[in-house]
Amino acid sequence: MGERPVKLEIRNMTKLFKNNDGVRNVNLTVYEGEFLTLLGPSGCGKTTILRAIGGFVDVDEGDILIDGRSVVRLPPEKRPTAMVFQSYNLWSHMTIYDNLAFGLRIRKMPKKEIQERTRQMLELVKMSGVEKKYPAQLSGGQQQRVAIARALLLQPSVLLLDEPFSALDAKIRMQMREELKRIQQDLNITVVFVTHDQEEAMAISDRIVVMSKGVFEQIGTPTEVYDNPASRYVASFIGEMNFIEEPDGKVIAVRPEAISLVKGEGQGRLNGVIRTIMVLGHFAEINVDVDGRNFKVFQPRHISDTFAVNDRVSLTFDKYHVF
């Protein structure tokens, strides 16, 4: 990403609320055409950062620059950003066309250009033909597509998305992720995305910022964060992980897919008994009891089919981390 121009820069930003929650001394650089995700549990500060970029909360200290210009004193409507909320925020009394055209009319755009750009954007989000419908006549997934189209019509320098798919069911959520990533790549737009769903973050991000209590625990590509977690917190938050507390105070962390099983005892690092085998499509989750501790192991189907509940097995770690 370093070779791309800087699109968004946050410098030493602090925003604290009356209960002392918020973020302190945030520094972040986002590059042109990058899909960056702020990932963390509720209350970690990710939405505060997003809303500060969009101008929906005032910062206490620091600066926010977009395309090299400070926007920290500008109201939301004057910033080169557009925000998509979890709740869609479509106007229920307006048709889909009027919802989309509203922002362009405010900008005094010619009627024919509004019609053409609206048609193109609905086509882009695969929603052609819904112009005369009202939001209540659309499904949740369809409404969210319209909300994204409305934001994109404003041609923002930075598109902000605050957990936009969390209200959708799992299958629709997955489809929407794929659509959003396709649109983002086709248009080469810069996106800052907020989610608490680590699978979602891994699937669509160029880089992930893993947050905890207002602090950046790690910034990296999905592969970097998954394969080389910077802390035990990151290791536990991203993907599945088994932890072993060592007598010297160190903690060994090993992914379920990085454990190999062999029937019998004594051949591996640990010995245990298989308690459950759950087939999850092309792989199986095998839970092994090792002296009262549960180890989660992922194995390909052709291997998992050779094991049975109550088999005694030894565990070998192909890769692990020490914290």
Side-chain angles (χ1 to χ4, degrees):
M1 286 291 166
E3 67 276 6
R4 298 188 192 182
V6 173
K7 177 59 72 170
L8 165 69
E9 188 176 2
I10 301 175
R11 296 178 181 170
N12 303 313
M13 187 190 83
T14 294
K15 172 61 182 177
L16 296 176
F17 298 98
K18 289 181 179 179
N19 62 0
N20 219 31
D21 285 348
V23 293
R24 289 180 173 85
N25 199 35
V26 169
N27 288 278
L28 182 64
T29 300
V30 184
Y31 299 95
E32 187 174 297
E34 181 177 17
F35 197 118
L36 181 124
T37 297
L38 302 173
L39 172 68
S42 297
C44 72
K46 57 189 186 296
T47 296
T48 299
I49 293 173
L50 195 76
R51 293 178 70 85
I53 297 169
F56 298 99
V57 297
D58 296 326
V59 303
D60 300 331
E61 297 175 18
D63 204 357
I64 300 170
L65 295 90
I66 297 176
D67 294 320
R69 298 179 61 187
S70 176
V71 299
V72 78
R73 301 298 171 209
L74 297 178
E77 65 272 15
K78 298 289 186 182
R79 298 193 185 196
T81 58
M83 191 152 175
V84 179
F85 298 90
Q86 178 181 339
S87 56
Y88 320 139
N89 276 23
L90 300 177
W91 291 295
S92 60
H93 65 287
M94 290 186 183
T95 64
I96 299 306
Y97 178 82
D98 288 335
N99 264 279
L100 294 175
F102 184 81
L104 302 181
R105 286 173 179 151
I106 288 177
R107 295 184 178 187
K108 309 293 186 185
M109 190 173 287
K111 185 177 179 180
K112 281 194 174 180
E113 189 175 345
I114 291 175
Q115 290 173 341
E116 180 58 20
R117 284 183 54 184
T118 300
R119 183 194 63 78
Q120 291 174 347
M121 194 55 65
L122 283 173
E123 193 175 299
L124 183 70
V125 299
K126 299 183 178 178
M127 288 292 292
S128 298
V130 302
E131 289 89 339
K132 294 181 180 179
K133 292 187 176 182
Y134 288 86
Q137 295 174 286
L138 304 181
S139 69
Q142 289 174 323
Q143 289 187 56
Q144 196 57 286
R145 286 173 188 267
V146 172
I148 291 169
R150 183 176 63 179
L152 291 173
L153 272 170
L154 300 176
Q155 297 181 323
S157 287
V158 182
L159 178 64
L160 309 172
L161 299 113
D162 188 8
E163 306 222 30
F165 308 141
S166 59
L168 306 176
D169 67 53
K171 188 173 182 180
I172 299 297
R173 192 160 66 239
M174 196 171 295
Q175 291 173 352
M176 288 298 298
R177 285 180 205 160
E178 294 168 2
E179 287 297 315
L180 177 61
K181 189 63 178 177
R182 175 186 63 81
I183 292 167
Q184 184 261 336
Q185 290 176 332
D186 286 350
L187 300 180
N188 192 39
I189 55 175
T190 304
V191 173
V192 180
F193 186 91
V194 159
T195 185
H196 64 273
D197 184 331
Q198 51 94 6
E199 182 183 305
E200 189 164 78
M202 293 285 292
I204 59 178
S205 310
D206 293 314
R207 284 190 302 154
I208 298 172
V209 180
V210 184
M211 294 186 63
S212 170
K213 298 177 181 176
V215 174
F216 290 178
E217 292 278 343
Q218 185 171 359
I219 304 175
T221 66
T223 300
E224 288 168 349
V225 172
Y226 187 84
D227 289 343
N228 297 293
S231 65
R232 178 172 178 171
Y233 173 83
V234 176
S236 63
F237 197 80
I238 299 285
E240 299 281 358
M241 190 71 87
N242 298 290
F243 293 100
I244 307 169
E245 309 276 351
E246 295 283 84
D248 60 3
K250 291 180 179 178
V251 177
I252 294 175
V254 57
R255 298 280 185 199
E257 68 271 20
I259 300 177
S260 297
L261 296 180
V262 179
K263 284 189 179 181
E265 296 186 341
Q267 300 179 54
R269 182 170 186 142
L270 298 170
N271 299 308
V273 178
I274 293 177
R275 293 304 183 204
T276 62
I277 299 175
M278 294 182 285
V279 175
L280 303 172
H282 64 283
F283 74 101
E285 176 187 313
I286 301 177
N287 287 282
V288 181
D289 183 278
V290 178
D291 297 328
R293 292 178 299 171
N294 182 68
F295 278 77
K296 188 174 289 187
V297 182
F298 295 157
Q299 295 284 279
R301 281 288 304 280
H302 70 279
I303 294 177
S304 66
D305 289 346
T306 65
F307 292 98
V309 172
N310 293 327
D311 278 353
R312 300 198 69 82
V313 292
S314 61
L315 292 73
T316 300
F317 300 164
D318 302 323
K319 182 184 177 183
Y320 60 89
H321 306 275
V322 179
F323 297 110

